[in-house]
Amino acid sequence: MSSSQTIGILAEARYLTQNQPMGLCQELERRGHRLSLIDPQKTFYVMGDDSWFAGLDILVGRGRSWGLLALLNWAERSGKITINRQEAISAVHNKAHMSLAFAASGLPVPQTYLGSINQLAGGIPVDAYPIILKPIFGDNSRGLLVVNSPDEMAGADWAEPVALAQRYFQTDGYDLKLYGIADKIWAIRKRSPFNAAREQIEEGLVPLTPELEDLGVRCGKLFGLELFGVDCILTEQGPQIIEINDYPNYTSVPDANAELADYVLRRVAERI
Ligand SMILES: Nc1ncnc2c1ncn2[C@@H]1O[C@H](COP(=O)(O)OP(=O)(O)O)[C@@H](O)[C@H]1O
Ligand SMILES: [Mg+2]
């Protein structure tokens, strides 16, 4: 596509020093496209006044703030193309909703429970321990807690009314990340942000098997995410899916910026 596009990038300030969306921005600018960088929390908006997105050919969002979700929703209502769509980000933001969708999907996920700490302590079978507790709205390992018995669970210092509880697998301390741009998938070994690695293993791209590729594509489709990263762990029962996140940094994905720019421009071209 030769014509120059105007691309809105919605990103909260904390992302402006990260590989994404900045890598995508640089690549789009290098190709001669115009960018409009919008921090959804920087200003206030007058509903009904659509001027903030009127000149944009597409909007790409990174973040999960209420402001960002509302702005994406707003632009979509007016028929703008957005990546990721607001509904897809919302579907994975709430970990309880995300886990319900995974549990119903037939994809390999650890057995997961939902309830108050006391209900979980009384209800989860003893042989399911160790258990990892997760807050409904968590990321960057915030609030994760491993408990080894019902007593430990009952005594846990848990501030929220409910928790997600999941069987906790021993791993080598590394996650397998499946990074996706629509149906194109990369597999990356990356140190777990939570689990200390016992021995050092090289991080980075690993061969993509048909099984992993299929897992990645199915996870993206399940939530309607176009840009996503799936956190998996490798267990004796094969890969288990831990969670999916919208628009990751694509660390170790070869030519990630060019791949992202190609995809964004393809989405604009499909519309024209
Ligand atoms: N059930 C589990 N078994 C083993 N490790 C887990 C499990 N759940 C989470 N982890 C480890 O903790 C990390 C963070 O958990 P995750 O559910 O992705 O929360 P966050 O949203 O905070 O990233 C994962 O990347 C994984 O290494
Ligand atoms: Mg995670």
Side-chain angles (χ1 to χ4, degrees):
M1 190 172 37
S2 55
S3 64
S4 169
Q5 309 297 329
T6 305
I7 294 145
I9 304 284
L10 287 172
E12 294 148 24
R14 66 184 167 128
Y15 290 115
L16 299 183
T17 51
Q18 297 207 18
N19 285 349
Q20 296 303 334
M22 302 329 286
L24 168 65
C25 291
Q26 282 158 16
E27 179 61 20
L28 289 168
E29 273 187 328
R30 199 185 63 76
R31 295 185 192 189
H33 300 285
R34 285 181 301 275
L35 289 177
S36 170
L37 210 54
I38 300 164
D39 173 355
Q41 286 158 326
K42 198 158 185 186
T43 182
F44 94 119
Y45 290 84
V46 181
M47 292 198 185
D49 177 1
D50 294 355
S51 55
W52 68 270
F53 61 78
L56 304 177
D57 295 302
I58 189 167
L59 292 92
V60 180
R62 179 154 198 218
R64 296 161 157 204
S65 65
W66 300 122
L68 183 140
L69 292 169
L71 294 188
L72 280 177
N73 181 289
W74 187 351
E76 286 165 12
R77 284 172 178 277
S78 297
K80 290 287 174 189
I81 319 170
T82 57
I83 301 175
N84 286 301
R85 290 185 60 79
Q86 175 262 312
E87 206 181 353
I89 302 174
S90 298
V92 301
H93 185 196
N94 179 319
K95 274 194 205 288
H97 296 180
M98 175 183 65
S99 296
L100 288 166
F102 273 132
S105 70
L107 288 159
V109 288
Q111 177 66 56
T112 305
Y113 309 87
L114 173 72
S116 71
I117 285 295
N118 285 331
Q119 290 162 346
L120 294 167
I124 297 176
V126 175
D127 61 8
Y129 284 78
I131 291 283
I132 183 167
L133 295 169
K134 306 185 183 188
I136 304 288
F137 290 98
D139 62 2
N140 298 317
S141 302
R142 185 181 57 77
L144 300 179
L145 183 66
V146 174
V147 288
N148 292 295
S149 66
D151 280 350
E152 222 182 287
M153 172 99 80
D157 180 15
W158 194 262
E160 299 186 6
V162 292
L164 283 176
Q166 194 167 68
R167 183 176 161 199
Y168 183 65
F169 286 86
Q170 279 306 329
T171 68
D172 58 8
Y174 288 81
D175 289 348
L176 185 76
K177 298 265 184 186
L178 299 175
Y179 289 125
I181 300 179
D183 53 10
K184 194 160 180 183
I185 307 292
W186 295 262
I188 308 286
R189 188 190 296 118
K190 197 171 173 193
R191 196 168 293 119
S192 161
F194 178 66
N195 235 332
R198 273 169 290 171
E199 56 182 292
Q200 298 294 314
I201 307 178
E202 202 183 330
E203 295 183 288
L205 196 65
V206 297
L208 183 68
T209 62
E211 183 199 13
L212 293 175
E213 182 175 26
D214 179 59
L215 265 190
V217 169
R218 286 171 66 195
C219 288
K221 284 209 162 60
L222 182 61
F223 297 97
L225 285 170
E226 295 162 84
L227 309 184
F228 58 92
V230 184
D231 294 349
C232 299
I233 51 171
L234 296 176
T235 72
E236 282 166 7
Q237 289 124 282
Q240 296 277 315
I241 297 165
I242 298 298
E243 67 157 351
I244 182 167
N245 289 298
D246 53 284
Y247 197 170
N249 271 322
Y250 292 95
T251 308
S252 306
V253 171
D255 300 321
N257 297 337
E259 297 276 359
L260 287 162
D262 286 349
Y263 182 72
V264 168
L265 295 170
R266 181 146 43 95
R267 291 281 280 111
V268 180
E270 280 166 7
R271 173 64 69 90
I272 294 168

